[in-house]
Amino acid sequence: MATQLNAHARNIECSEEEWQARRELAACYRIFDHMGWGESIYNHISVRVPGEDNSFLINPFGLLYSEVCASNLVKIDIDGNTLDGSPHPVNKAGFVQHSYFHRHVPWAHAIVHTHTTATMAVCSLEGGLQPVNFYACNFIGKLAYHEFEGITVRAEEGQRLLANLGDKRILMLKNHGPVILGRSIPEIFIQHWSLQRACEVQMATLAMGQPLRVSDEVVAVHQRDLAQGQVPGKLPGQGDFEAWTRRIDKIDRSWRD
């Protein structure tokens, strides 16, 4: 059933499922802004439109994350066609990268790429993320790496991005920043939050001296037991995402419009 939704002087028509996806994605942008994970008008978070495998929602190019709301997200297909009459353009670098993964990775319903100082620093470090702290142990053996080729605006780079991703869910773009793929927005949120913490602590540790490395055996035990740290009855990241959504609601509810 289609619903007419009017916000910020733009009428859009979409299903209830799409509207909920719009709200969840808008909340994610506001949470990232609150965390300080924005990068001026750049970087991008996207989510597939429910029931429409060839279309996804992404931020309007030119707006800060603090300006993103449910109604001004851009609905675009994997061939680059705007589907919802949005007057806003889409960042070409974001489209090339996200459309390729949405097209070729069936389980990648949500994708985020950021340029935070900590994650970029680790992506620029020989050896990348190291097993030197609690959060880093979440990711050891689970990260893929891709050589820097400049700004991601050439479609042919997508083939190498996909090949280097392999069977992983996080692709560390060397000298650049991470791309995190997941089954849902809460999942990519908690993965980004944990990766950010891992990188922040690694930066601080290396600045102080020689780090203590965790053994492969302990890393394996840590990863085996990680699921026991989730909120019972909730999907990965769901409890965290709901908590941070409540937090931004207390600051500004305009993301819901």
Side-chain angles (χ1 to χ4, degrees):
M1 179 180 178
T3 302
Q4 287 286 346
L5 304 158
N6 186 3
H8 295 269
R10 185 158 81 92
N11 291 308
I12 61 174
E13 182 176 298
C14 68
S15 67
E16 291 292 343
E17 291 77 14
E18 179 181 329
W19 183 241
Q20 291 307 312
R22 283 176 173 271
R23 276 193 163 178
E24 189 173 55
L25 181 55
C28 192
Y29 275 104
R30 295 299 185 94
I31 294 168
F32 270 54
D33 177 71
H34 180 72
M35 295 289 202
W37 297 339
E39 185 81 350
S40 187
I41 61 172
Y42 306 101
N43 293 174
H44 10 83
I45 314 168
S46 66
V47 67
R48 276 202 183 105
V49 177
E52 301 179 28
D53 288 345
N54 291 327
S55 62
F56 60 94
L57 301 167
I58 197 167
N59 54 317
F61 192 28
L63 299 188
L64 298 170
Y65 283 12
S66 60
E67 298 176 291
V68 172
C69 64
S71 64
N72 66 25
L73 288 161
V74 181
K75 182 178 180 180
I76 192 169
D77 69 17
I78 55 178
D79 295 314
N81 302 301
T82 301
L83 304 176
D84 61 355
S86 174
H88 299 286
V90 168
N91 186 333
K92 184 175 181 180
F95 169 75
V96 167
Q97 186 184 100
H98 287 235
S99 64
Y100 202 88
F101 286 126
H102 280 307
R103 184 192 297 268
H104 294 287
V105 185
W107 52 263
H109 294 291
I111 302 171
V112 58
H113 171 58
T114 61
H115 285 177
T116 68
T117 299
T119 58
M120 286 189 77
V122 171
C123 283
S124 304
L125 183 69
E126 187 70 35
L129 191 67
Q130 301 169 22
V132 297
N133 65 70
F134 179 99
Y135 292 111
C137 290
N138 296 10
F139 299 103
I140 300 305
K142 298 181 179 295
L143 301 179
Y145 290 84
H146 174 76
E147 294 293 337
F148 183 60
E149 298 186 26
I151 186 170
T152 314
V153 293
R154 292 166 287 105
E156 47 88 17
E157 187 179 353
Q159 300 172 18
R160 293 185 290 280
L161 288 167
L162 186 63
N164 286 328
L165 176 68
D167 62 353
K168 305 296 191 297
R169 293 178 180 263
I170 299 177
L171 183 61
M172 303 288 272
L173 308 181
K174 293 183 179 181
N175 308 104
H176 189 170
V179 180
I180 300 174
L181 297 80
R183 295 161 293 183
S184 69
I185 289 174
E187 182 179 290
I188 62 169
F189 167 74
I190 193 59
Q191 289 293 303
H192 188 280
W193 183 87
S194 301
L195 182 64
Q196 174 72 16
R197 292 293 295 130
C199 293
E200 288 172 344
V201 177
Q202 177 167 309
M203 285 177 61
T205 305
L206 293 180
M208 294 170 63
Q210 187 68 27
L212 297 172
R213 294 181 65 89
V214 179
S215 70
D216 292 343
E217 293 76 16
V218 174
V219 168
V221 171
H222 175 80
Q223 293 183 358
R224 182 198 67 193
D225 295 342
L226 267 178
Q228 297 183 45
Q230 295 182 20
V231 179
K234 293 185 180 291
L235 296 173
Q238 186 180 353
D240 298 81
F241 192 79
E242 290 172 352
W244 283 105
T245 300
R246 293 192 299 272
R247 181 71 178 88
I248 61 166
D249 254 345
K250 294 178 180 178
I251 301 170
D252 179 4
R253 294 173 61 88
S254 65
W255 60 272
R256 294 176 173 272
D257 297 335

